[in-house]
Amino acid sequence: MTRLRSFFCVLILMAFELSLAADRVSGANATLNIVPGARSAALGGTVMAQPEELLGFGDNPWQLATQDYVWGSFSHVAYFEGTVYDLVSMSIPLGEMHGLGVSFSRFGADDIPWIKEGESIPEGSNYNTLNMADWVFSVAYGRRLWKNLDFGVSLHGLYREMDQTGFGFRGDLGLRYLFPKNFSLAALLRGFTSSAAKWESGTFEYESPELYLAASWNLPVHYFYGKLGLYWQSAGFFHHEARDLDFEGNERGGRFWEEPIDFLAGSRGGVEFAFDFGLSLRAGLSSFTTWESFTLGAGMVVSKFLKVDYAFESHPVLSSVHRVSVSISPWLFFNSPKEPKARSNRSFVEKEETLEEGIESEPSNSKAETAEPSTETNEETSAEISSEETEILEPSGGIYWEE
């Protein structure tokens, strides 16, 4: 932990020193803000609120603290005019309550017609072409700090291939707290190192840090054999943002303390219903400013080692897009899922030890007097344990019977 803290201190000092000679801009390295997977895209882009978005640990690194298996994931989306975004990731548990994630992505377009300044427009297809792309490599780490508090950090490196080349980097820090009743609250400081980019021409740009909040709530719905998930992600707290997706009317994007209603309107939201048999239905809004930003999608757990997700994303001006994600667990392909730790076993041991200590400390007048309270107490303990086990093993819905 000492080495890790020293590394972050050096990183922050380097970023601060470089920022003194840089131009402050908005939207530096915006490629890093693209919604990564179909699951979160179908839920309005609420990446930070997701309890398990296997492609989204760049903006949600704390989820790696609760990963139990190795997962490899792939996502593909084709935007307008041949622009494509592809992402490959792998999450690796490192032990009890901490894990590592690695991802690689490309966002760009190929075979773009290019005419040098001063040249005439060629006839037919006899013209030069160029490729424009951002290549991103990310690494993330998540760890359980204390009881229900999870910590995550992610670092991103970017190589930009355009009419001139460039490099960029950014570091993110986040926390998530798990409350009772399946409610969680998370906060992400995006760009704690600042989000910086250096171009081949020598220009150096940076964007200052930004803070986001996110929340999720999962409710069991026994009657419909599943559970309902509600997800919300805020707009940025510190920066002015362009929140009118239709690009019409007055510009809106005030800070939280300047225009709180406008700030809330820039939030994202999503709702999901996950059936017990593996199907999930999803809907959301990528911005509360307009209904035309609606998103839809579905997911299916095909088998214990394979998950498939689909998302449809609408936009008030730009073309709608379709997105597909696939996640595969090599470990689950060859092995059965791990047995969950039973709470009742631990409580049973604790209660038995307490019971034995109580019996030994009580003065015994006769064997009969000692045996009776012991039997009654054991019966009560067994009843409590039985009720706990029933509560743990009880499915979301269905018909129950006893043999």
Side-chain angles (χ1 to χ4, degrees):
M1 290 298 292
T2 304
R3 291 182 178 179
L4 188 62
R5 283 194 294 268
S6 301
F7 171 75
F8 284 130
C9 290
V10 172
L11 196 62
I12 293 172
L13 289 173
M14 289 176 60
F16 178 74
E17 182 181 356
L18 289 172
S19 66
L20 294 177
D23 298 324
R24 182 174 177 178
V25 298
S26 178
N29 302 326
T31 302
L32 301 176
N33 302 335
I34 296 177
V35 177
R39 184 177 191 269
S40 51
L43 292 167
T46 55
V47 186
M48 303 173 195
Q50 302 304 314
E52 186 178 350
E53 170 55 279
L54 298 171
L55 286 151
F57 47 72
D59 277 344
N60 188 344
W62 48 81
Q63 65 171 307
L64 295 168
T66 54
Q67 290 285 333
D68 293 324
Y69 311 106
V70 175
W71 283 94
S73 304
F74 171 76
S75 179
H76 170 80
V77 56
Y79 294 98
F80 46 87
E81 300 297 333
T83 306
V84 176
Y85 178 69
D86 294 312
L87 184 146
V88 178
S89 73
M90 176 164 285
S91 56
I92 308 167
L94 300 178
E96 187 91 15
M97 292 300 179
H98 66 127
L100 179 72
V102 179
S103 68
F104 181 77
S105 64
R106 180 186 185 271
F107 174 64
D110 299 325
D111 299 327
I112 302 172
W114 177 51
I115 302 172
K116 293 183 179 180
E117 186 177 356
E119 292 184 355
S120 60
I121 300 176
E123 297 181 0
S125 58
N126 186 24
Y127 48 78
N128 296 322
T129 61
L130 59 83
N131 300 332
M132 302 180 70
D134 282 355
W135 303 82
V136 179
F137 176 77
S138 301
V139 60
Y141 176 77
R143 186 181 185 87
R144 174 66 54 86
L145 291 181
W146 175 77
K147 292 185 178 179
N148 296 332
L149 181 63
D150 297 327
F151 162 81
V153 58
S154 57
L155 301 174
H156 316 275
L158 182 146
Y159 172 73
R160 184 158 288 152
E161 180 186 14
M162 293 186 174
D163 57 338
Q164 59 176 312
T165 59
F167 296 89
F169 69 89
R170 193 182 80 193
D172 304 329
L173 285 172
L175 293 171
R176 176 184 64 179
Y177 189 82
L178 304 174
F179 294 87
K181 304 296 182 182
N182 297 320
F183 177 78
S184 69
L185 185 63
L188 179 79
L189 183 62
R190 177 182 282 175
F192 75 94
T193 60
S194 77
S195 183
K198 188 178 189 325
W199 294 89
E200 185 180 6
S201 62
T203 303
F204 192 87
E205 302 171 335
Y206 81 100
E207 183 179 14
S208 56
E210 181 62 289
L211 177 67
Y212 295 85
L213 294 181
S216 67
W217 192 16
N218 289 276
L219 307 168
V221 183
H222 303 304
Y223 187 79
F224 291 103
Y225 305 92
K227 62 179 181 179
L228 179 69
L230 304 175
Y231 306 100
W232 171 81
Q233 180 177 313
S234 76
F237 273 75
F238 302 144
H239 293 176
H240 288 283
E241 297 177 334
R243 299 188 185 127
D244 286 313
L245 298 184
D246 55 4
F247 311 123
E248 296 178 358
N250 297 325
E251 293 185 1
R252 296 192 303 172
R255 299 182 179 93
F256 172 72
W257 58 88
E258 296 173 341
E259 301 177 24
I261 302 301
D262 183 53
F263 167 80
L264 292 174
S267 301
R268 304 167 177 262
V271 58
E272 174 186 47
F273 192 86
F275 293 93
D276 291 342
F277 58 86
L279 174 66
S280 298
L281 302 178
R282 300 158 185 151
L285 284 174
S286 57
S287 175
F288 289 170
T289 58
T290 173
W291 288 101
E292 294 182 271
S293 67
F294 73 90
T295 58
L296 298 171
M300 187 68 192
V301 181
V302 180
S303 66
K304 64 181 182 179
F305 62 88
L306 177 62
K307 300 178 182 180
V308 180
D309 295 293
Y310 163 80
F312 170 82
E313 300 173 72
S314 178
H315 195 280
V317 177
L318 304 177
S319 303
S320 302
V321 297
H322 305 268
R323 187 190 301 255
V324 177
S325 299
V326 179
S327 298
I328 300 174
S329 174
W331 195 93
L332 287 175
F333 181 81
F334 295 102
N335 301 276
S336 300
K338 299 175 182 177
E339 290 288 338
K341 295 182 180 180
R343 292 178 300 165
S344 57
N345 290 340
R346 293 198 296 269
S347 62
F348 177 80
V349 173
E350 292 172 359
K351 289 177 181 177
E352 264 199 333
E353 291 175 353
T354 305
L355 177 62
E356 291 174 359
E357 290 175 3
I359 293 174
E360 291 174 0
S361 61
E362 287 182 0
S364 57
N365 296 330
S366 64
K367 293 182 180 180
E369 291 179 4
T370 306
E372 281 187 7
S374 174
T375 305
E376 290 176 1
T377 310
N378 283 332
E379 289 176 356
E380 292 175 0
T381 304
S382 300
E384 290 177 358
I385 295 166
S386 178
S387 64
E388 287 182 1
E389 290 176 345
T390 304
E391 183 181 355
I392 294 170
L393 299 176
E394 181 181 311
S396 296
I399 301 173
Y400 313 112
W401 65 88
E402 296 181 357
E403 295 183 357

